[in-house]
Amino acid sequence: MSDESLLIRAVCESPAEDTPRLMLADWYEENDQPERAEFIRLQILLHNTSFIRAGGIHARWPEPWVSRIKRANELVEAHGREWGGSATAQKPKCPAHLFGPWFRRGFVWCVEFGNGRFFRDAELVFRSHPVERVTLEGRWPRSEFLVDDRPRWV
């Protein structure tokens, strides 16, 4: 297992902690992925700022904060699908969280699975991201995905 995989696993096992996320950001910085590192650090900084958690961009906020939010948005626009992987391949119906519907503190936090994708993609998504919210949509044939009333990968 690679160092990156171990660090991602640590993030998923301790989703409320920032330390594993910051360790992964350091790893990305050292391994030629500075924008990914910047994004994780920015989102952690912004998430832990009480006046930002209260709402969207506000005209009275100090300029450095507005610039940081805009930069995080730019990074999501440029790399969000890549960083989100199979989680962002889903159709999101999550409330927007300053930086789009998927990311919080540098990782996908919310995903909607539709048309049977939960049973096909959930294992990979949950191994790669500390998902906090899941929405299921559609119907699936029970016998196709379940063994003894459980998804095959459980």
Side-chain angles (χ1 to χ4, degrees), residues 82-110:
E82 171 192 347
W83 294 337
S86 58
T88 54
Q90 313 307 319
K91 181 177 122 187
K93 275 193 179 173
C94 305
H97 179 264
L98 292 179
F99 325 102
W102 295 305
F103 291 92
R104 182 177 284 172
R105 293 168 51 231
F107 289 84
V108 172
W109 74 280
C110 175

Side-chain angles (χ1 to χ4, degrees), residues 142-152:
R142 270 182 79 91
S143 61
E144 183 179 343
F145 296 105
L146 300 178
V147 174
D148 299 327
D149 294 325
R150 296 183 333 184
R152 290 189 177 143

